[in-house]
Amino acid sequence: MIATPQGRFTADAAGPTGGELVLLLHGYPPSRHAWRHQLPALGAAGYRAVAPDQRGYSPGVRPDPARDLTAYGIDRLVQDVLDLADAAGSTGRRFHLVGHD
């Protein structure tokens, strides 16, 4: 779990905590499990690889779109990425971003 100001994201991670962060974002409909082969390889290469379940997938960050669709706006999703990077130890530092879809 990764705690952010918006809630707790379920995540898998591999590699040293001090390694360069690689944040792996799944697409639709997969989840963090889409990165199950890449995580150990990146970790073995010395990176800190983190694959979270994104907003709407993580039970701790699953706003009801029927009540507030703006909770899924691009500005909110971008802020989630920045919050996840900060929480993973990359505050104020560059990180690698890998996306699917």
Side-chain angles (χ1 to χ4, degrees):
M1 294 297 236
I2 298 177
T4 74
Q6 290 295 307
R8 297 172 58 88
F9 287 81
T10 306
D12 292 334
T17 56
E20 288 183 45
L21 177 64
V22 178
L23 194 56
L24 300 143
L25 303 179
H26 63 80
Y28 173 82
S31 66
R32 72 185 188 281
H33 301 294
W35 302 109
R36 66 187 172 280
H37 300 294
Q38 291 79 11
L39 276 173
L42 288 164
Y47 292 98
R48 178 62 173 172
V50 177
D53 278 338
Q54 295 185 73
R55 176 175 291 263
Y57 290 77
S58 286
V61 189
R62 195 177 288 160
D64 181 357
R67 294 176 70 202
D68 184 13
L69 194 55
T70 62
Y72 292 91
I74 192 69
D75 57 331
R76 184 62 258 158
L77 299 176
V78 169
Q79 190 60 53
D80 284 347
V81 171
L82 298 174
D83 290 345
L84 284 162
D86 287 350
S90 197
T91 303
R93 297 186 328 192
R94 295 173 64 139
F95 60 93
H96 304 278
L97 182 62
V98 180
H100 183 270
D101 279 4

